[in-house]
Amino acid sequence: EDKVVQSPLSLVVHEGDTVTLNCSYEVTNFRSLLWYKQEKKAPTFLFMLTSSGIEKKSGRLSSILDKKELSSILNITATQTGDSAIYLCAVVSDSNDYKLSFGAGTTVTVRA
Amino acid sequence: NAGVMQNPRHLVRRRGQEARLRCSPMKGHSHVYWYRQLPEEGLKFMVYLQKENIIDESGMPKERFSAEFPKEGPSILRIQQVVRGDSAAYFCASSPRSQTFTDTQYFGPGTRLTVL
């Protein structure tokens, strides 16, 4: 069974700080890794990383995939209170290319 | 373009009752996935459906749970004779699964089921 571990479980920062979230995985026939942001509603898609696209950036958010270390990081720079959310990491294997295997998430709280 | 719609957003049932959760995928999406999120846990895959077909229900409990995605209308996740352990948030996601399928699934807001 695929395994996804996120760390830390939670963290509290102040506006303007930079946060780094970690995701490590064990999956047979890795296909892709996805990051989602979950507030009190639908998880919203942030990035998808694959062997052919190991680095993504959008505004203050960026993510890198390290296939050698079987991990990914999600960076948020110049944090704002609106960044407070649970950040979810999920992996997909070629064996079941429709099944997202999620980690437990990292809860980020940004204080004003 | 409306996103994935789920209703109801909150559902309270007593033990032994039935719960019906509905999901309307994004326009143009013909593939639906259901996930369950228990407190303090990540989302767990339950079932993958296409129109009128169950493709993979390996994550769904064998008893009391069923899912369908009819030719017309929303996808339905049905839980019969609910127990307290069924209390969770149930999320639906959809994707187009076109030739350019990219694994990206778009999620609805979820239905929070509470069993008393």
Side-chain angles (χ1 to χ4, degrees), chain B residues 3-97:
Chain B
V4 178
M5 311 283 284
Q6 288 188 250
N7 69 79
R9 295 291 306 278
H10 300 275
L11 183 61
V12 179
R13 285 288 178 266
R14 296 190 182 281
R15 281 178 294 171
Q17 292 185 319
E18 178 180 285
R20 281 199 180 206
L21 289 62
R22 294 175 185 77
C23 168
S24 297
M26 286 179 71
K27 188 176 180 180
H29 288 193
S30 58
H31 299 256
V32 166
Y33 317 82
W34 285 93
Y35 292 81
R36 177 165 66 174
Q37 187 175 37
L38 295 169
E40 308 302 323
E41 293 187 21
L43 283 79
K44 302 289 186 194
F45 169 84
M46 297 181 73
V47 61
Y48 164 36
L49 309 109
Q50 297 174 21
K51 285 284 187 182
E52 300 184 280
N53 283 307
I54 297 174
I55 308 302
D56 181 351
E57 56 183 350
S58 60
M60 203 155 64
K62 296 278 188 289
E63 297 182 357
R64 302 188 298 106
F65 285 71
S66 63
E68 62 177 6
F69 189 16
K71 188 177 180 181
E72 302 290 338
S75 175
I76 306 285
L77 179 68
R78 181 196 293 182
I79 312 172
Q80 296 178 299
Q81 299 176 326
V82 297
V83 300
R84 288 226 174 102
D86 297 332
S87 295
Y90 292 83
F91 288 92
C92 168
S94 72
S95 70
R97 289 290 279 192

Side-chain angles (χ1 to χ4, degrees), chain A residues 22-36:
Chain A
N22 299 283
C23 175
S24 62
Y25 60 87
E26 293 176 23
V27 59
T28 305
N29 298 323
F30 172 86
R31 176 172 170 139
S32 59
L33 183 146
L34 296 87
W35 285 97
Y36 286 85

Side-chain angles (χ1 to χ4, degrees), chain A residues 1-4 25-28 91 93 96 99 101-102, chain B residues 44-45 58:
Chain A
E1 187 174 313
D2 301 338
K3 185 177 176 184
V4 181
Y25 60 87
E26 293 176 23
V27 59
T28 305
V91 295
S93 74
N96 295 297
K99 187 185 294 187
S101 296
F102 282 89
Chain B
K44 302 289 186 194
F45 169 84
S58 60

Side-chain angles (χ1 to χ4, degrees), chain A residues 46-104:
Chain A
L46 294 176
F47 298 119
M48 184 176 70
L49 303 160
T50 66
S51 299
S52 58
I54 63 172
E55 189 167 352
K56 294 286 175 73
K57 182 176 171 62
S58 176
R60 297 178 294 103
L61 276 67
S62 62
S63 183
I64 296 174
L65 176 70
D66 188 335
K67 284 202 70 180
K68 187 177 176 183
E69 296 296 326
L70 305 182
S71 65
S72 174
I73 61 171
L74 176 69
N75 280 317
I76 310 173
T77 60
T79 52
Q80 303 170 357
T81 54
D83 295 326
S84 296
I86 300 172
Y87 290 84
L88 302 170
C89 172
V91 295
V92 180
S93 74
D94 274 333
S95 311
N96 295 297
D97 64 355
Y98 48 82
K99 187 185 294 187
L100 299 178
S101 296
F102 282 89

